[in-house]
Amino acid sequence: MDCLLNLKGFHALSQQEHEGHLEITVESRFKPQACPHCGFSQLYSHDKTEQVFFDAPMQGKPVILKIQRMRYKCRSCGKTFREPLDDIDDKRLMTTRLKEYIQKRSMSDTFAVVARETGLDEKTIRHVFDDYVDTQSKVMPFETPRVLGIDESKLVGSYRCILTNIEQYSIFDMLPSRKKADVVRHLKSLKNPKNVQIVTMDMWRPYKDAVNQVLPHAIVVVDKFHIVRISLECLEKARKTIRSKLDRKDRIKLKNERFVLSKRRHSLTDEEFEKLQQWSAWFPDLGLSYDAKEAFYCLFDQDLDSKTAEQALMDWQRGLSPQIAHYFEALTTALSNWMPEILNGFDYPVTNTYTESINRYEKDVQRMGRGYSFDVVRAKMLYNAEANKPTTSTIRKKKRKPVKEAPAFYLMTDSLFDSQSTKQKYKIEIIGEKRYYGAHIPTFCNLLDKGEFD
Ligand SMILES: [Zn+2]
């Protein structure tokens, strides 16, 4: 009996098989030695109540443990208390091993399946899972990024705000929506808000408003990637409109034009270059639109300072031929709404690597999210043990012990060692304290590649 149960805190007294579950009647192996309120050791039995706890499934069936749980009364302080039970989570009315079982299973199966396996309802599964996420966030508290990336991804049916640590290539957090209120709430909860110096984002007004409100000291940068992409979209709009107005005879002259137009001039093959010249001669607006796109990209290729960039962007706008200007309206609007943040990008050239790498896996992440709630996908991405490894680093703590010389590499990085005398007072000891920055994106992508989340 006991070997089936295998819980060190309990004896199994009897076992009953029911249609859908196993029921094991148990008693505690240990009796309390002292009152938890005052420590007095003379206790007497007060009363007994029957309690039921869920346990991890056995033989493919849910298990419940039945116990006659004693209540004791202290002879000294007169207070009563319930018999303490090993291996039991009193809050969730289940064994701790069932709790662990649920937490592990919820990462790889839906709450509905785990509920069926354990005989619990989905709500309980969710609560246990939430406890887990809560614990994880305390076990690995992520350091507040210096350069924060704010972006979005379509996950589990909606757009979610994704926060990244740009310098550490890690996912810092994921929010249920990209609404200002969600972003504000998150930014307000940051451990070290002053640590955020730069925030890079796409041109989504609520992000900017949230950052300005909560982190007024942070410099907002529009990601170069997002702004140049608009010029490509404008060219695409021109291509479609021009093409739709052609008759059949002229339309035949175009072939693969979308592919060629999307390429940068320096990566065109000789053949493609000739085609482009031919098209420009036949359909001048198409050629002009391509040139406008290229000129815009070139602006961002150069190492301009913000002042020169501002002039160059204005020149670019002025140089737009009137007959194609309307195709580029989305871009000119973006320039007028976001000019300071776009210019910041020239002084602080940071770009969100997340956008390029994770979005490439959009389909895999979608598949990973099938049948799960957003919270599970978030936990799977954020707290993946493998992806949290590479960004873990050791920090060094000082200790008051005189040594001859502190290691040179340390002297350069810590202001504590400014003077020669201080150098000699401290000894550096590597104590292995870990820092977490969130799920390392390259590792995470690697896992997706290997199908770890399928
Ligand atoms: Zn007592």
Side-chain angles (χ1 to χ4, degrees), residues 35 37-38 74 77:
C35 166
H37 305 290
C38 71
C74 173
C77 70

PDB file of all heavy atoms in Angstrom, residues 35 37-38 74 77, ligand 1:
ATOM      1  N   CYS A  35       3.242  23.477  20.336  1.00  0.00           N
ATOM      2  CA  CYS A  35       2.222  24.417  19.847  1.00  0.00           C
ATOM      3  C   CYS A  35       2.870  25.441  18.907  1.00  0.00           C
ATOM      4  O   CYS A  35       3.872  26.047  19.261  1.00  0.00           O
ATOM      5  CB  CYS A  35       1.591  25.132  21.048  1.00  0.00           C
ATOM      6  SG  CYS A  35       0.633  26.584  20.587  1.00  0.00           S
ATOM      7  N   HIS A  37       1.845  28.274  18.197  1.00  0.00           N
ATOM      8  CA  HIS A  37       1.632  29.650  18.663  1.00  0.00           C
ATOM      9  C   HIS A  37       2.612  30.030  19.772  1.00  0.00           C
ATOM     10  O   HIS A  37       3.156  31.117  19.782  1.00  0.00           O
ATOM     11  CB  HIS A  37       0.196  29.819  19.167  1.00  0.00           C
ATOM     12  CG  HIS A  37      -0.830  29.434  18.143  1.00  0.00           C
ATOM     13  ND1 HIS A  37      -1.049  30.186  17.015  1.00  0.00           N
ATOM     14  CD2 HIS A  37      -1.666  28.361  18.069  1.00  0.00           C
ATOM     15  CE1 HIS A  37      -2.000  29.602  16.288  1.00  0.00           C
ATOM     16  NE2 HIS A  37      -2.386  28.487  16.905  1.00  0.00           N
ATOM     17  N   CYS A  38       2.812  29.118  20.746  1.00  0.00           N
ATOM     18  CA  CYS A  38       3.646  29.488  21.889  1.00  0.00           C
ATOM     19  C   CYS A  38       4.823  28.536  22.126  1.00  0.00           C
ATOM     20  O   CYS A  38       5.690  28.815  22.959  1.00  0.00           O
ATOM     21  CB  CYS A  38       2.796  29.594  23.150  1.00  0.00           C
ATOM     22  SG  CYS A  38       2.230  27.996  23.764  1.00  0.00           S
ATOM     23  N   CYS A  74      -3.721  23.618  22.741  1.00  0.00           N
ATOM     24  CA  CYS A  74      -2.537  23.801  23.570  1.00  0.00           C
ATOM     25  C   CYS A  74      -2.965  24.006  25.020  1.00  0.00           C
ATOM     26  O   CYS A  74      -3.864  24.784  25.307  1.00  0.00           O
ATOM     27  CB  CYS A  74      -1.766  25.013  23.057  1.00  0.00           C
ATOM     28  SG  CYS A  74      -0.401  25.480  24.109  1.00  0.00           S
ATOM     29  N   CYS A  77      -1.514  28.040  25.985  1.00  0.00           N
ATOM     30  CA  CYS A  77      -2.162  29.259  25.474  1.00  0.00           C
ATOM     31  C   CYS A  77      -3.627  29.031  25.119  1.00  0.00           C
ATOM     32  O   CYS A  77      -4.354  29.984  24.859  1.00  0.00           O
ATOM     33  CB  CYS A  77      -1.393  29.829  24.289  1.00  0.00           C
ATOM     34  SG  CYS A  77      -1.498  28.839  22.788  1.00  0.00           S
TER      35      CYS A  77
HETATM   36 ZN    ZN B   1       0.257  27.326  22.769  1.00  0.00          ZN
END
